[in-house]
Amino acid sequence: ETGVTQTPRHLVMGMTNKKSLKCEQHLGHNAMYWYKQSAKKPLELMFVYSLEERVENNSVPSRFSPECPNSSHLFLHLHTLQPEDSALYLCASSQDFGGQGPNTGELFFGEGSRLTVL
Amino acid sequence: RKEVEQDPGPFNVPEGATVAFNCTYSNSASQSFFWYRQDCRKEPKLLMSVYSSGNEDGRFTAQLNRASQYISLLIRDSKLSDSATYLCVVNPGSGGYQKVTFGTGTKLQVIP
């Protein structure tokens, strides 16, 4: 079993649909992330939850809505998306030491959810 | 200037060759540096951290030049299995959650 699992792996949706991406981590980490990866662009950080509180939101459109019910689960709710939102959405987790521990820089990623918006 | 800049490649090299990738970063206050590897249609995974004094892990050597704000990755004796995209990653801070910035990646193709 991988440390970070994402479902679904593939999703095709119309612009008027509502869907959700799910992420679960089994590593005991206390920080979780959503990243967007588009072709020929660097990974873009969308949301960060640390200790279950959202600590960063990089000006993501409101059609993307995150939810973190506990430290092991993270959702990304999608509604009225645009075709340019088609991308690979990666969930990641890490251990947040609150500035007191080592910065290992290690993010553990799930395999991603490939989203196509028609 | 991009926060983290890499040559996208692709670098096509024969097996056994030595290949080097460079990466530049714009924030001079950046604290820590990493190389990630991403195989085709897979998730990124940490390859190695980059330390000020340089560090080596088997066939892989990472170097940091703070004055010129670049980091490098050297791969010796390339294997077919090294074919992947190599992502340069920079963290402006220390501790806490990972506020890292990713480069676009450099694609390596090792040819038999």
Side-chain angles (χ1 to χ4, degrees):
Chain A
E1 186 179 271
T2 58
V4 180
T5 55
Q6 289 186 240
T7 54
R9 294 290 310 281
H10 300 273
L11 178 62
V12 179
M13 59 188 288
M15 289 191 285
T16 58
N17 291 157
K18 288 185 180 182
K19 296 286 184 183
S20 296
L21 306 181
K22 178 183 175 182
C23 177
E24 184 174 357
Q25 59 99 0
H26 312 276
L27 300 169
H29 289 160
N30 59 8
M32 296 187 77
Y33 311 72
W34 279 117
Y35 279 88
K36 176 183 178 182
Q37 188 172 35
S38 305
K40 302 190 187 304
K41 294 178 72 174
L43 270 77
E44 300 171 53
L45 178 63
M46 300 177 72
F47 301 102
V48 182
Y49 279 83
S50 180
L51 302 172
E52 300 167 44
E53 286 192 19
R54 192 162 79 191
V55 298
E56 190 160 335
N57 172 354
N58 285 355
S59 302
V60 177
S62 59
R63 56 186 184 269
F64 294 92
S65 174
E67 179 189 359
C68 187
N70 55 60
S71 60
S72 300
H73 294 86
L74 185 65
F75 296 88
L76 187 63
H77 303 300
L78 316 169
H79 63 99
T80 59
L81 294 192
Q82 304 299 310
E84 60 264 28
D85 296 323
S86 298
L88 181 67
Y89 289 84
L90 289 160
C91 173
S93 71
S94 72
Q95 187 61 23
D96 181 346
F97 295 101
Q100 300 303 311
N103 183 357
T104 66
E106 186 156 18
L107 290 161
F108 293 80
F109 286 89
E111 292 182 291
S113 295
R114 187 162 295 280
L115 173 67
T116 302
V117 182
L118 302 176
Chain B
R1 183 180 176 184
K2 293 180 183 177
E3 288 187 69
V4 178
E5 198 150 4
Q6 295 182 250
D7 181 342
F11 285 55
N12 297 313
V13 302
E15 271 187 289
T18 295
V19 61
F21 309 134
N22 286 333
C23 164
T24 58
Y25 59 94
S26 60
N27 184 351
S28 59
S30 295
Q31 298 278 328
S32 45
F33 311 87
F34 312 91
W35 285 101
Y36 274 68
R37 169 189 170 134
Q38 186 171 21
D39 292 308
C40 186
R41 306 191 77 80
K42 293 285 193 179
E43 73 276 21
K45 292 183 180 178
L46 180 66
L47 177 66
M48 61 195 299
S49 301
V50 186
Y51 302 122
S52 297
S53 54
N55 49 297
E56 192 173 302
D57 183 1
R59 298 180 293 108
F60 298 83
T61 301
Q63 297 276 356
L64 167 64
N65 185 321
R66 284 189 184 273
S68 300
Q69 294 180 211
Y70 81 81
I71 67 175
S72 64
L73 178 67
L74 182 78
I75 306 176
R76 291 182 299 278
D77 188 22
S78 299
K79 311 290 185 190
L80 294 176
S81 57
D82 294 334
S83 298
T85 296
Y86 291 84
L87 303 171
C88 173
V89 181
V90 175
N91 193 331
S94 59
Y97 67 93
Q98 304 299 340
K99 305 174 190 177
V100 297
T101 299
F102 285 81
T104 52
T106 298
K107 187 172 182 179
L108 172 66
Q109 185 69 48
V110 180
I111 304 164

